Amino acid sequence: MAGNITFTMIKPDAFRAGNSGTMIKMIQEAGFAIKAMKLTQLNAKTAGAFYAVHKERPFYQDLISYMSSGPIIAMILEKANAVEDFRKLIGATDPAKAEEGTIRKLFATSIEANAIHGSDSDENAGIEGDFFFSQFERV
Ligand code: ATP
Ligand code: MG
């Protein structure tokens, strides 16, 4: 059975553009409850660790520079079928391929600067939530 927790980050491009509030409203209106939330900034080491699965990809160094270029908002979210439903809400990695009405279609500017992250499995949702939050930072 699908789990009810996912993890997200509002990425530096979207935070810088002032879109965080609108995006959080869309997330809540789609039925996700916020269980933890934090404004923070990644550096080369922490961004590299978070995206370590992509370390052999040609875009890895650019991804790390981009993800550490400004503040991000990390959140743990709760909803039935959280991982799959959240990936539907954010849309495809490349905003040119994202469906109308999705967060990336509305706010992403390129395949790299794509506004928001969503976990791709229940297992990774747990790992990513633990990466950012202790048990005392969750409701
Ligand atoms: P995320 O993991 O951030 O939710 P995703 O699962 O849709 O995104 P991944 O394949 O995991 O996509 O890629 C992680 C991130 O790396 C993307 O969100 C994007 O910022 C960047 N990225 C992916 N593919 C490319 C590419 N071809 N060129 C540049 N950046 C890319
Ligand atoms: Mg991914």
Side-chain angles (χ1 to χ4, degrees):
M1 206 184 97
N4 62 352
I5 289 290
T6 193
F7 170 82
T8 186
M9 258 190 283
I10 295 177
K11 296 185 177 183
D13 58 308
F15 181 84
R16 199 177 289 123
N19 292 327
S20 306
T22 310
M23 288 164 63
I24 290 168
K25 185 165 160 55
M26 285 180 72
I27 290 165
Q28 289 181 305
E29 284 180 352
F32 292 87
I34 298 171
K35 306 300 287 182
M37 178 156 70
K38 179 187 287 181
L39 175 69
T40 184
Q41 182 160 350
L42 294 167
N43 58 33
K45 195 174 165 202
T46 50
F50 186 85
Y51 279 115
V53 340
H54 294 309
K55 66 176 180 296
E56 307 303 333
R57 308 283 285 276
F59 58 80
Y60 181 66
Q61 286 307 328
D62 285 345
L63 177 60
I64 286 169
S65 309
Y66 154 60
M67 285 303 300
S68 53
S69 68
I72 59 101
I73 296 176
M75 286 178 271
I76 295 173
L77 303 172
E78 185 178 76
K79 182 186 180 300
N81 202 35
V83 166
E84 191 186 341
D85 285 2
F86 193 74
R87 293 201 44 115
K88 273 193 202 134
L89 176 68
I90 69 178
T93 309
D94 181 353
K97 297 183 182 145
E99 281 190 46
E100 289 300 328
T102 59
I103 292 178
R104 282 172 169 165
K105 185 74 179 183
L106 288 165
F107 300 111
T109 51
S110 71
I111 191 168
E112 178 180 85
N114 62 2
I116 193 160
H117 164 81
S119 304
D120 61 9
S121 66
D122 291 339
E123 187 188 3
N124 284 336
I127 292 168
E128 292 168 2
D130 289 346
F131 187 89
F132 280 91
F133 297 102
S134 78
Q135 62 180 303
F136 303 107
E137 297 174 299
R138 304 170 192 224
V139 296

